[in-house]
Amino acid sequence: MIKRPRRLRLNKKIRSLVRETSLHPQDLIYPMFVTEGRGVKQEIAAMPGQYRWSVDMLPAAIREVEEAGVEHIMLFGIPAPEDHDECGSAAWASDGIVQRAIAEIKSHSDIFITTDVCLCEYTSHGHCGQLDADGYVNNDKTLELLAKTALSHVEAGADMVAPSDMMDGRVAAIRARLDEAGHVNTPIMSYAVKYASNFYGPFREAANSAPQHGDRKSYQMDYHNGREAELEAALDVAEGADIIMVKPALSYLDVIREVADLVDVPVAAYSVSGEYAMVKAAAKMGYIDEARIICEMAVSTFRAGCGIYLTYFAKELAKYIDEGRIG
């Protein structure tokens, strides 16, 4: 035989030499939840090892992230129950939970902060925008609220904003508002391809963001559809998105590949709460090797075309990369 592919698998050094996919800690974003109160480090039952942090506890939490080699975080805010209202006005309040969290972090660290821009954690009904009388999320009225929220995050010190609501036209609305305010250099990472997935359950517990009625299928994508992802991604790039995200990651590797082949901007993928919870549950039962599964999941996502990976395993994954344990 002339062709023997096994020659390039003979040992670790040759495998490393010809490896097609590489990961670096700088490619990772660690999602974090911030809540009201003081001295709060509250473990999320459905996501063992993940916590809701009060603002005063964030500096110590951020030090752990940085010590792991992770340079990026994504912030999700959990306001007090009494601050919820029909339009989610606490989302853009200058003294809102995310705005205070950004200021506190920036006073202690130069870690890169991306903020999730959505209204579901702040509305009394749990939907991602303003409702009409019949309960339908009004797309165009919601755009103004999202733009106000994004601007408030940037004015508080956020380095990048990430709209996750899936309203049509929200990237253009946010880009226009930021530019008008002089923030022309603030990038937008759009949740351009966000499916109405069953993998979000643990997150909704973590953020208290489950809708009070109905579901989100009228704005999040139908998971039967692949070509539609190309349309959503192309529209957001045309509106000014600097990075395109696909969410979830593991069950949508084909979509990540399609989007990566289409767009000329970086592609991110979000390994969501349900993926995290399943790994934790299976590892607890002894069914899998947690570290190896974490690495394999990450590599598969990058192999599909992702260049930025949001994962609750970011700290562990950065350590495994540093130790050369991937592979």
Side-chain angles (χ1 to χ4, degrees):
M1 287 184 287
I2 300 300
K3 294 293 185 181
R4 290 182 180 266
R6 288 184 60 191
R7 292 179 187 132
L8 300 184
R9 305 175 198 149
L10 186 62
N11 55 50
K12 183 175 182 179
K13 289 185 178 179
I14 191 67
R15 290 194 297 270
S16 297
L17 181 66
V18 300
R19 184 159 288 160
E20 299 172 15
T21 306
S22 298
L23 281 69
H24 307 280
Q26 295 85 356
D27 302 327
L28 308 177
I29 299 178
Y30 181 52
M32 300 183 70
F33 301 94
V34 58
T35 190
E36 296 288 358
R38 289 191 61 80
V40 177
K41 180 185 177 182
Q42 181 183 43
E43 188 170 33
I44 300 163
M47 300 175 67
Q50 302 303 309
Y51 300 88
R52 301 181 189 93
W53 303 90
S54 56
V55 171
D56 62 301
M57 298 288 283
L58 283 172
I62 294 297
R63 279 196 297 274
E64 289 185 13
V65 176
E66 293 177 310
E67 288 169 0
V70 178
E71 299 178 354
H72 299 265
I73 62 168
M74 169 84 86
L75 279 183
F76 295 90
I78 308 170
E82 61 269 20
D83 291 333
H84 292 73
D85 60 26
E86 285 295 307
C87 62
S89 60
W92 61 84
S94 59
D95 62 347
I97 184 66
V98 168
Q99 291 79 355
R100 285 184 281 120
I102 295 167
E104 180 68 14
I105 293 169
K106 287 296 185 181
S107 70
H108 292 85
S109 169
D110 64 353
I111 198 166
F112 192 96
I113 300 175
T114 300
T115 57
D116 178 79
V117 176
C118 196
L119 302 177
C120 60
E121 297 104 318
Y122 303 88
T123 55
S124 54
H125 45 75
H127 279 285
C128 299
Q130 187 168 333
L131 298 185
D132 288 334
D134 60 359
Y136 183 77
V137 177
N138 187 303
N139 190 96
D140 294 7
K141 289 181 179 179
T142 299
L143 299 183
E144 170 66 16
L145 309 184
L146 295 167
K148 289 166 63 174
T149 301
L151 179 59
S152 73
H153 290 180
V154 175
E155 289 179 338
D159 298 293
M160 181 162 68
V161 292
S164 63
D165 54 283
M166 287 300 287
M167 298 298 115
D168 295 334
R170 86 272 206 217
V171 172
I174 291 171
R175 183 75 273 160
R177 179 61 64 89
L178 294 181
D179 289 358
E180 289 168 4
H183 300 292
V184 297
N185 291 322
T186 300
I188 298 173
M189 177 169 65
S190 172
Y191 289 68
V193 183
K194 181 179 179 180
Y195 284 90
S197 172
N198 298 295
F199 284 93
Y200 301 151
F203 175 92
R204 290 174 180 170
E205 176 190 323
N208 298 323
S209 63
Q212 298 300 305
H213 61 82
D215 54 39
R216 296 183 173 134
K217 293 182 179 180
S218 71
Y219 42 103
Q220 294 178 359
M221 287 179 55
D222 183 344
Y223 63 73
H224 296 81
N225 296 348
R227 288 193 303 273
E228 186 182 7
E230 299 179 5
L231 172 64
E232 289 282 5
L235 285 170
D236 282 9
V237 170
E239 291 179 15
D242 301 282
I243 300 171
I244 293 296
M245 186 199 298
V246 177
K247 179 183 180 184
L250 192 59
S251 291
Y252 298 86
L253 299 179
D254 60 321
V255 176
I256 294 170
R257 170 47 57 196
E258 290 171 6
V259 170
D261 288 344
L262 173 73
V263 302
D264 58 0
V265 300
V267 174
Y270 197 146
S271 182
V272 299
S273 59
E275 298 172 48
Y276 177 90
M278 288 193 300
V279 171
K280 282 293 187 181
K284 183 177 180 180
M285 294 298 293
Y287 297 153
I288 61 170
D289 182 312
E290 180 175 310
R292 291 183 177 181
I293 290 291
I294 291 169
C295 294
E296 187 172 345
M297 287 170 59
V299 169
S300 71
T301 310
F302 278 79
R303 191 182 63 243
C306 156
I308 301 166
Y309 191 50
L310 293 89
T311 173
Y312 300 98
F313 288 118
K315 291 186 290 185
E316 293 90 340
L317 187 56
K319 177 183 176 183
Y320 301 151
I321 294 170
D322 186 57
E323 294 174 349
R325 295 175 64 183
I326 291 192

